[in-house]
Each structure stands twice: as structure tokens, then as C-alpha cells.
Amino acid sequence: MISPMTKYSFILLNGEQEGLLEKLQEIGLVDITRSVKPVDGPSGELLRAVEQRKDLVQSLGKIDFPETLRPAPVEGDLTYATAAALDALEELGERQNALEKEAAAAEPWGVFDPELLKKLSDAGVPVQFHISSAKSFDPEWARQNAVDIVKEADGKVWYVVAGPDTLPDRVRAPQRSIEAVRQELAEVKAGIDHEKAVLLTAKQRQDEFEAESRAKLSQLDLYLAKQAAVPAAENTIVTLVGYAPTENEEAVTQAVEETGVYYLKDAAQVEDNPPIRFRNNKFVRMFEVLTDMYGRPAYNGFDPTPFISVFFLLFFALCMGDAGYGLVLILIGFLLKKVDSFKDMAPLVVTLGVGTVVVGFFLHTFFSIDISQWKVFEPVKGLFLPDEIAGYAGGMVLALVVGVIHLCLAMVVKAIQEVKVKGFAGSLGTLGWTLLIVGGVLVGALALAGVLDAQLTKWIIIVIGVVSAIGIFPLNNPDRSKLANVGLGLWDTYNTATGLLGDVLSYLRLYALGLAGGMLGMAFNDMGKMVLGDGHNWVLWIPFILLVVVGHTLNIAMCALGAFVHPLRLNFLEFFKNSGYEAEGRNYNPLKKQ
């Protein structure tokens, strides 16, 4: 749900705003309307300082430090020394690569004196270098030319010719002897070890970078908040506007009164465009990241996260459709907890894995094996989804039923929200459509279940149709004439009838993705069985295990991608469209110490 906000308007003498903002930053509850990007030179410099330290920590994590390396002392500023060492290490690494290539080209020619070669060339006796394959090298060349074979290896012949020659496969002479190249390469490697020793010291002190980064980020946030102050009365006073959750009003009021600043407070209004803060339980909070991918609602809107948390989990599990794959996701989730950059996502991955295990058991599939045939599950076989329902595939019927429920819920949410915003009279059109569709679906379900007989069902449908038609056609908008409302109602009828059918059919993707993943997994299982044969030859178990493990790993990766994208689509498109959700709000971003 959306937390109610209190609006604070501060009026203070120019120059006092920094003390107020520092106090607000300490309590970390007030969102000062401010820029999220640098606005001038000083703020840009602070941002560059933050990014520089983050980049340094990231770069230090990519360096491979030898176990025998000892840290070197660092004098002066650690940030400057680390940046300089990283630049030097990059240059030395590039030089090392170039020298290793040069050494590989010069090594077959051994040790020679380039100056002597130059003198021979000046005297009219150039020395030419050649590399030929052993098959193409003709011994007759040595009798016709001054040939000296330097090396024979790997089917190649390295040789030199003194004096002019017309022999093939001539190559460019090395610029220097292998001895000189090795000497410089050793110096470069020593330089690399020195720079790594400096960086090892920096890595051991990288907590300082992180602390400096947080401090600079806090300074930047404070600076931007200070720049948000609006001057008045010829710059003698300034005004600031901030928002804080109403539940924290006492703490904010106490902190502000300690500063002695004059302020006004009032309940935030929609036209103020206050920041949006969600207040959800631990389970729903995991899915707020998905809502933020689309955008937060307006202040008078509704929080879609509770609905996303239930249906995204269900849709994801249906798309995966395999209890074994769910166990793998749970394992991945626990492993992610050990990775700092992904540990925040670990609980969501574990939750999706648990949901996949439950739904996969309901669909009686474990690593693409039908467990309904296992005797151990005979007592609970009634919990499994039937292969066919009313002559149709059980998974397809389930996907359509879930889709209808999802859309009906969206319409109910839209109706409630419109009544809240526009009042009952202004929402009769939406209420009419909701009554017609949701009421019709509910009555139809009760009739199919045998709760209502045919005669009673007919009269209920007639009443629902008449009452809905009154809201849809003549009363859909009290500000227009009845004739205009009827025309608009007819147009809405066409759009709703065509759009709703397409929306319902969109949920077939849940069945299709689950079916595709299951069939691909079965194909890997079948290929594994073909390789294994009767299982008596233990050697064949090795390719069998490799084939099945690699196959299911690829299948899990592809299924997880589809199971993430398509449930998002069903929530962001079908549900949001039919619920009237609009992302018009901004995130709650309180001024606080980083």
C-alpha cells in the first residue's frame, strides 16, 4: 500500500538552510524535492569523486594477485596512488603482451647482433630471413646460396641466406635478438609485480574507498538539497519543501523544532506530487523491484505490488512447470546470498523456486518426468492436474482460468479505484462493465458447478445485463448528454469485446511456455536413455549424466528467461490496462547519510 505523506514547508534566512538540511539528513526521513543529477561544477566534481572510488573498488576486484606477493607501502593519498598504479599496470600489461608476441617471433632465431647485420647489409651482403615448411624446403637451395638453417621444428624450417636471393617465404628480420627482448620482458614483469604490490595494499584498505564514497555521496545529496532552496525577498530568505511519511511525523517535528526553523506542515495532496513510499509486508516487498521497473503510481493511485507478488509468482511457476527446476532455483537462490552484488535478489529467487516446486508438483512434473506414474505418489494422485478437462488439455484450461481470474480482479480494482477518485456517479460506466463481466463470469462458474439451476441463472443474467446496460450506455458519464453516452457506450462495447478476447488468449502463453520447456526436457531425457541403453555398461553412464545435466541446464536457463519476461508482460500489459494503472509517481528518496 501507499504510505500517507505529510508536506513540510520550511521558511528560513538565507544561509541557515545547511544546518536544517544536516539535521534532516541525520534522521533520514524527509524527501527534499531536489535534482537527481549534478547541477553545476561542484556537484559534478562530487559525483566524479564518488564514481572514481566505486571504479577503483571494482577494478581491484578484477586483479589476480599472486599468493606470494607482499603489499608495498603507499605514501601520500591512497586514491591518487591507486589510480596511478592501475594506469601503470594497464600500460605495462599492454607492453607485456607486445613483448611476448615479439619474443615468440624472435625466439626461433636465437641470439644475434642486429648491428652486425646492418654492417653486412651496408657492405652489400644483406642477410635475409626465411620460414618454410619442411616439405617445401629444398636442400638444393643450400648448394646454390649461402644458406644457414637456424632451427627445424613443428614441420617448419627457419633459415637465413647471406647475400641477395630469390628464395620463397621471406619474412621480416627481427628488430632485435631474443636476449634483448627477454631482458626487457623481465623488467616489465618486475614493474607489474611492483604495481600489483601497491594495489594489494589498496585492496586491503578498500574499506577506506567505500567509506569515502559514502561520505562524498552524502555531501552530494546535501549539496543538491541545498541547491533546491528557492530564494525570496531579495535573497534574504529561502524556502524548502519536503515530504515524510505521516507515521514518522512526531520524529520529524521534533528534529525540525530543535533547529528553530519556521515551518508549516499539512497532509500532502495529489497536486503536490509527493513521493511514493510503499508499505508492504516482507513477502510483497520482494516484488517491489518489479513494480519499479514499470514505475510507481500517482499519490491517489493504488499499489499494484500485492497483486504482482501473487500472480507473477504463479505465472513464473506455470511457465517453468517443473518441480525439479524449482529445486535448482532454490539452490541458486541460496548461492546468490554469498555474492554481495546479488544477495538482495536471493530471497526472490528462493521464493520463485518454492512456487515452482509447488506448481510443478501440481503439474506432476519432475525434471520432465511424469511423477503421476510413480507408485509413491499414488495416495496424493487426486491433487495432480488432470491431463484433460472437458476434452481439452488440462494445462491450457488452467492457463485460461487463471487469466480470467486475473482480468476480473483487475476490473474490480479499477472499479474500486474510480469510485474512490471520481465518486459513485462518475464511475457508473466502469461499474457497469465490471458488473457485466465479473458478475457474468461468477454466475457462469456457479452454474457450471451446479450451485445455480438453469432458470435462476437465466434471471440473474438478465438482471445483471439490464443493470449493467444502464451504467454502460445512458449513465456512463454524467457530464454528457444521454445520446452521446449511448454512442460512446457502443464504441466501448466494440473495444471491450475485441480487446478482452485478445487479453484472455494472451494467457495461453503460460501453457505454451510450460509445454515447450517440458517437451525439450523430455527430449534430453530420451537422448540420454538412447545413449545409456540397458544400463549394464557403466562407461555409458558418464555420457548419459553429461548429456542430461547439460541439456537440463540449458533448458532451465531458457525456461527461466521466458518465465521472467512473459509474466511481466501479463502484469504490465493485461493487468495494468484493465485495472487502469498509470505510473505517474516518483520514488521516495529521503535525504540521509549514505
Side-chain angles (χ1 to χ4, degrees):
M1 61 181 296
I2 299 173
S3 295
M5 287 283 171
T6 298
K7 178 182 179 182
Y8 295 85
S9 300
F10 305 101
I11 304 173
L12 60 164
L13 292 174
N14 196 348
E16 295 182 349
Q17 57 266 40
E18 189 163 348
L20 170 66
L21 293 172
E22 287 177 352
K23 187 66 176 180
L24 296 180
Q25 192 176 45
E26 287 179 9
I27 62 174
L29 294 171
V30 181
D31 183 317
I32 298 293
T33 305
R34 61 197 186 279
S35 171
V36 295
K37 296 180 180 180
V39 294
D40 54 18
S43 57
E45 188 62 33
L46 283 170
L47 180 61
R48 283 190 290 273
V50 171
E51 291 177 342
Q52 180 192 30
R53 285 157 177 79
K54 287 184 178 179
D55 290 342
L56 290 179
V57 172
Q58 188 176 15
S59 298
L60 288 172
K62 296 178 180 179
I63 297 175
D64 182 22
F65 295 100
E67 294 183 1
T68 57
L69 190 67
R70 295 290 178 266
V74 176
E75 298 180 359
D77 183 69
L78 180 63
T79 301
Y80 176 81
T82 304
L86 285 170
D87 290 340
L89 183 63
E90 183 178 2
E91 292 179 5
L92 289 170
E94 293 175 355
R95 182 58 184 158
Q96 182 185 13
N97 291 335
L99 287 172
E100 287 176 348
K101 291 179 181 178
E102 184 179 356
E107 190 274 334
W109 304 108
V111 179
F112 61 90
D113 184 359
E115 289 297 325
L116 178 59
L117 295 182
K118 184 176 185 303
K119 290 178 180 178
L120 288 172
S121 180
D122 293 340
V125 187
V127 177
Q128 312 291 349
F129 289 68
H130 298 260
I131 302 176
S132 297
S133 66
K135 292 181 179 180
S136 62
F137 182 79
D138 188 353
E140 187 66 24
W141 295 344
R143 288 190 286 270
Q144 299 175 358
N145 301 272
V147 173
D148 182 20
I149 297 177
V150 178
K151 182 179 179 179
E152 294 184 70
D154 301 325
K156 292 182 179 180
V157 179
W158 286 260
Y159 63 95
V160 295
V161 180
D165 70 84
T166 58
L167 298 180
D169 303 319
R170 182 184 299 175
V171 296
R172 184 180 177 184
Q175 296 298 310
R176 51 184 174 164
S177 170
I178 183 62
E179 189 176 54
V181 178
R182 285 173 178 168
Q183 182 178 351
E184 184 178 353
L185 187 58
E187 294 173 357
V188 168
K189 288 182 178 179
I192 289 175
D193 288 341
H194 172 72
E195 300 301 339
K196 281 190 175 182
V198 173
L199 294 173
L200 181 58
T201 302
K203 184 174 179 62
Q204 293 175 347
R205 296 170 58 185
Q206 73 177 28
D207 289 347
E208 296 179 25
F209 292 132
E210 295 170 352
E212 289 177 5
S213 180
R214 290 192 295 269
K216 295 288 184 183
L217 198 56
S218 295
Q219 291 178 31
L220 174 62
D221 208 21
L222 187 63
Y223 184 88
L224 293 175
K226 184 179 178 181
Q227 297 304 113
V230 178
E234 297 182 352
N235 281 337
T236 56
I237 62 173
V238 294
T239 61
L240 281 166
V241 176
Y243 300 88
T246 303
E247 63 192 62
N248 302 121
E249 185 174 338
E250 184 178 349
V252 175
T253 300
Q254 181 180 349
V256 174
E257 289 182 349
E258 290 177 1
T259 66
V261 170
Y262 179 77
Y263 70 98
L264 301 171
K265 67 177 180 179
D266 198 4
Q269 303 298 319
V270 177
E271 52 270 19
D272 296 328
N273 189 28
I276 305 302
R277 175 180 179 265
F278 291 146
R279 186 174 59 188
N280 294 310
N281 59 42
K282 187 175 181 180
F283 171 74
V284 176
R285 233 178 359 254
M286 292 188 296
F287 295 86
E288 287 180 1
V289 63
L290 303 180
T291 301
D292 287 337
M293 290 174 65
Y294 191 88
R296 298 208 168 186
Y299 189 60
N300 63 343
F302 68 95
D303 178 9
T305 315
F307 306 106
I308 291 177
S309 64
V310 174
F311 285 98
F312 181 85
L313 175 59
L314 176 60
F315 295 164
F316 183 94
L318 286 172
C319 289
M320 294 296 288
D322 192 293
Y325 290 1
L327 293 176
V328 174
L329 288 175
I330 294 173
L331 176 61
I332 292 174
F334 282 115
L335 293 176
L336 288 178
K337 289 184 178 180
K338 303 180 183 298
V339 183
D340 290 340
S341 55
F342 292 103
K343 63 182 179 181
D344 292 339
M345 295 297 296
L348 178 59
V349 175
V350 172
T351 302
L352 294 175
V354 172
T356 302
V357 170
V358 174
V359 172
F361 177 80
F362 176 65
L363 298 176
H364 49 86
T365 305
F366 186 82
F367 287 109
S368 302
I369 301 172
D370 186 0
I371 61 176
S372 65
Q373 308 301 320
W374 296 2
K375 291 183 179 180
V376 67
F377 293 113
E378 195 69 32
V380 294
K381 202 169 183 179
L383 298 176
F384 295 154
L385 178 71
D387 292 335
E388 286 193 1
I389 299 176
Y392 297 96
M396 183 177 70
V397 175
L398 176 64
L400 292 176
V401 169
V402 169
V404 170
I405 294 173
H406 197 217
L407 294 176
C408 287
L409 180 61
M411 293 177 185
V412 171
V413 169
K414 182 179 182 179
I416 294 172
Q417 187 64 22
E418 282 208 13
V419 171
K420 175 184 172 183
V421 176
K422 299 181 181 180
F424 182 79
S427 309
L428 288 175
T430 299
L431 290 171
W433 280 114
T434 304
L435 176 62
L436 179 64
I437 297 172
V438 178
V441 168
L442 184 60
V443 171
L446 293 174
L448 289 173
V451 177
L452 301 176
D453 60 34
Q455 189 67 18
L456 181 58
T457 301
K458 181 181 74 172
W459 282 107
I460 293 177
I461 292 295
I462 291 173
V463 172
I464 289 176
V466 171
V467 174
S468 301
I470 294 173
I472 293 171
F473 293 103
L475 302 180
N476 63 47
N477 191 328
D479 297 330
R480 286 195 296 259
S481 67
K482 299 294 187 293
L483 185 61
N485 281 343
V486 170
L488 184 62
L490 291 172
W491 177 247
D492 286 343
T493 301
Y494 170 77
N495 288 332
T496 302
T498 55
L500 199 59
L501 177 61
D503 290 344
V504 172
L505 294 178
S506 289
Y507 290 84
L508 285 174
R509 71 186 67 236
L510 300 175
Y511 167 66
L513 287 169
L515 180 64
M519 294 185 70
L520 188 57
M522 289 174 60
F524 285 119
N525 290 342
D526 291 340
M527 286 190 291
K529 291 177 183 177
M530 292 171 60
V531 170
L532 183 61
D534 56 12
H536 295 310
N537 188 348
W538 67 270
V539 177
L540 296 177
W541 280 93
I542 298 175
F544 165 76
I545 293 173
L546 288 174
L547 179 61
V548 172
V549 169
V550 172
H552 280 289
T553 299
L554 293 174
N555 197 27
I556 289 173
M558 291 187 291
C559 287
L561 179 61
F564 180 80
V565 172
H566 290 280
L568 271 187
R569 181 194 185 279
L570 293 174
N571 280 283
F572 286 175
L573 187 59
E574 273 72 22
F575 184 82
F576 282 2
K577 179 180 69 175
N578 287 281
S579 64
Y581 178 78
E582 294 182 1
E584 298 177 346
R586 58 188 179 90
N587 287 14
Y588 171 63
N589 180 28
L591 183 66
K592 60 183 178 181
K593 295 283 186 182
Q594 300 297 327

